[in-house]
Amino acid sequence: MLSARGLFQEIFDNDASFRLFCSIAASGEAQGGWENGRIAALVPESQRGLSHKIVRHGADEDKHGRIFNALLRKRGLDPVDVPGDTDYTMLLEARGIGLAHEKLRADQRLSERDIVAYLAHSRVTEQRASEQMQLLRKHFADHPDIGKAVRMISSDEDNHLAYCHEELLRLAAAGHGRTIQRILRESALAEIKVYRDVSLAVMDRMGRILGWSRARSAVLAAGIHAVYAYERLGGWHRMVSLRMPERRDALGGPASAAPEFA
């Protein structure tokens, strides 16, 4: 019988599949770190109070990238190039989710609407990140090799999600409510498609590395399609709701160090 724990354990136990898993994760986190760093540098004057939180967000993402690379080094492995069809971040950008890299590479200040869009996009993607890390934490929090990394990254992702909720509610109260809801809906519907496609691509590669049978690969693919069907029918609503988080000012302080990994 297939289970999330068994599936991830199989991936983690094999050097080639673990190498691909960590390489994909490290690349996405490093990209997120760069994006947040550029956004922090280009924040408009009307939102300068957010700068230190965006810097903290980017520092956390950079830290996560270092952690995944450190996990590779611990097993004597080097990162591999990330296949284009597994690059979640870039595929989201291609669908208009996240601020365009062309805009972030320029030296022109962002608009307040850009910040609204950034936070709305982040609220959707951080929901996914938080859920994925909670799943790993559920099964591997006490794992001798990856448990500490899983716990640390999961806590950070929960903080990022809380930050997005709090700041979007602030901006909604300032008159951006309709724009926020529109962007959240568009982002969620685009994200669930990208997540489905990336999941299928990753599982296809993992299956080839691990020698899965056609039947097993077909079952996993059917499961991914079933998740997408659920999300398309209504599951996406969890990505667009806003509520004041229990963790207030979650990114108000400096990023925590990870000397045991970096």
Side-chain angles (χ1 to χ4, degrees), residues 79-101:
V80 295
D81 292 336
V82 175
D85 59 355
T86 69
D87 194 331
Y88 174 80
T89 304
M90 295 309 296
L91 290 171
L92 284 174
E93 186 193 354
R95 285 184 172 268
I97 307 304
L99 300 182
H101 285 188

Side-chain angles (χ1 to χ4, degrees), residues 26-43:
S27 175
E29 297 287 356
Q31 188 64 51
W34 176 83
E35 290 173 357
N36 278 278
R38 290 302 301 154
I39 292 167
L42 300 174
V43 166

